[in-house]
Amino acid sequence: MNCKNCNNNLRDSQKFCDECGAKVIQNRLKPKVLAQQVNEQFLCVDNKFLRTFIDLFRTPETVIIGYINGTRKKYIDVIQYFAISITLVGFQVFLMSTFFKESMDFGSGFAEGFNASSAKADNPFKDIDFNSINNYQGLIYILTVPFSALGSWLAYYIIGERSYNFTEHIVINLYYSAQVIIVTALLTILFLVLGLNYFVISSIIYIPTFAYLFYVLKRIFKTTFWETFARFLLVMAIYIGSFMIIGLLMLIIVIIIGVAIHK
């Protein structure tokens, strides 16, 4: 018998491949088998998702540093965990665009006011549908990870804390971002059901996400409150600064394209 994942030779009694670690599947795929796999991965008390979610709050350093150091079976892989969070965002966006369109009313008013701020003929933003930006939340989350990783890596590099390279800082920020995205999406869905405006929800959730980043940095680097606070401010300065630079470049490009189109 060979492993169906890596083609390694297996004994008939083996339950896991000793080469790639994959579980040996001998039963045909049936509804009962599929239901059992879903239960093991997401529903049972001792599943990886729940364990990862809880421990990223309780002991984030165990999950993140463990993954960096090679512990890959106890918790959900960082890429898979981030993919789950993006999938949940897609579900949130679907609900908002299908059942909770009124939750974006403030966004519509903002867009109208923004367009009215200058003559429509000269305004390069007049054709932008600001509500449609919500549909690209998943992509926005993906694009922010390299910037947050740059912020944390560069901040700690500057002060001489170089325990983790840039790639490992990406892992730190992927786990952090995925946790924030999952919590944000779940709370957003809950608050939308309760009838709150989306922008009110965003304001409520915004500050705790930064508090959680502070907590993650403190636990991972094992620094005092004030040491962590100083590093956190430096991380945020680099993070916001890099976004402002990219945002300014994008603004210039949009204006140039807008002017060229209207000539």
Side-chain angles (χ1 to χ4, degrees), residues 48 50 75 91 103 158 167 180 189 207 212 223 250:
K48 280 188 177 182
L50 188 59
Y75 300 105
F91 180 64
S103 68
I158 290 172
T167 303
V180 166
I189 293 171
I207 294 178
Y212 178 62
T223 49
M250 291 180 64

Side-chain angles (χ1 to χ4, degrees), residues 219-239:
R219 297 293 298 237
I220 288 178
F221 293 96
K222 302 185 185 306
T223 49
T224 65
F225 178 89
W226 291 112
E227 287 174 337
T228 306
F229 184 71
R231 288 158 172 75
F232 172 78
L233 291 180
L234 184 56
V235 169
M236 294 308 301
I238 296 172
Y239 177 65

Side-chain angles (χ1 to χ4, degrees), residues 100 102 186-197 201:
F100 300 104
E102 69 282 357
L186 291 175
L187 288 178
T188 299
I189 293 171
L190 174 62
F191 289 151
L192 287 174
V193 171
L194 296 176
L196 292 181
N197 183 277
I201 298 170

Side-chain angles (χ1 to χ4, degrees), residues 37-101:
Q37 290 180 354
V38 171
N39 179 64
E40 289 176 355
Q41 290 292 323
F42 299 103
L43 302 179
C44 71
V45 175
D46 193 34
N47 69 75
K48 280 188 177 182
F49 175 80
L50 188 59
R51 187 188 307 131
T52 304
F53 181 79
I54 292 174
D55 282 359
L56 276 172
F57 280 123
R58 189 175 59 183
T59 55
E61 70 278 12
T62 302
V63 180
I64 299 171
I65 297 179
Y67 181 87
I68 291 173
N69 290 338
T71 303
R72 307 290 166 85
K73 290 296 181 181
K74 185 177 180 181
Y75 300 105
I76 292 183
D77 177 271
V78 63
I79 300 299
Q80 184 182 1
Y81 196 62
F82 189 76
I84 291 172
S85 71
I86 296 301
T87 301
L88 189 56
V89 167
F91 180 64
Q92 170 204 320
V93 170
F94 168 75
L95 291 178
M96 291 179 64
S97 60
T98 306
F99 301 106
F100 300 104
K101 293 181 179 179

Side-chain angles (χ1 to χ4, degrees), residues 93-248:
V93 170
F94 168 75
L95 291 178
M96 291 179 64
S97 60
T98 306
F99 301 106
F100 300 104
K101 293 181 179 179
E102 69 282 357
S103 68
M104 296 292 291
D105 285 345
F106 180 78
S108 299
F110 173 79
E112 291 170 4
F114 192 87
N115 285 332
S117 63
S118 62
K120 286 188 180 286
D122 301 323
N123 187 357
F125 302 99
K126 68 185 181 68
D127 295 323
I128 296 178
D129 181 6
F130 283 83
N131 288 337
S132 67
I133 295 176
N134 184 59
N135 297 329
Y136 299 97
Q137 277 195 37
L139 179 60
I140 292 171
Y141 282 131
I142 293 171
L143 293 176
T144 58
V145 170
F147 291 100
S148 60
L150 177 65
S152 62
W153 172 74
L154 193 54
Y156 281 89
Y157 187 88
I158 290 172
I159 64 173
E161 172 57 73
R162 301 170 186 177
S163 304
Y164 305 107
N165 60 34
F166 180 69
T167 303
E168 290 165 340
H169 274 270
I170 288 180
V171 170
I172 294 171
N173 284 273
L174 277 172
Y175 267 124
Y176 158 75
S177 298
Q179 188 79 343
V180 166
I181 293 168
I182 290 171
V183 172
T184 300
L186 291 175
L187 288 178
T188 299
I189 293 171
L190 174 62
F191 289 151
L192 287 174
V193 171
L194 296 176
L196 292 181
N197 183 277
Y198 175 70
F199 293 95
V200 173
I201 298 170
S202 299
S203 301
I204 294 172
I205 298 174
Y206 196 66
I207 294 178
T209 61
F210 290 107
Y212 178 62
L213 175 59
F214 175 90
Y215 172 70
V216 169
L217 293 176
K218 187 177 187 304
R219 297 293 298 237
I220 288 178
F221 293 96
K222 302 185 185 306
T223 49
T224 65
F225 178 89
W226 291 112
E227 287 174 337
T228 306
F229 184 71
R231 288 158 172 75
F232 172 78
L233 291 180
L234 184 56
V235 169
M236 294 308 301
I238 296 172
Y239 177 65
I240 294 172
S242 61
F243 256 105
M244 289 179 64
I245 293 172
I246 296 298
L248 181 61

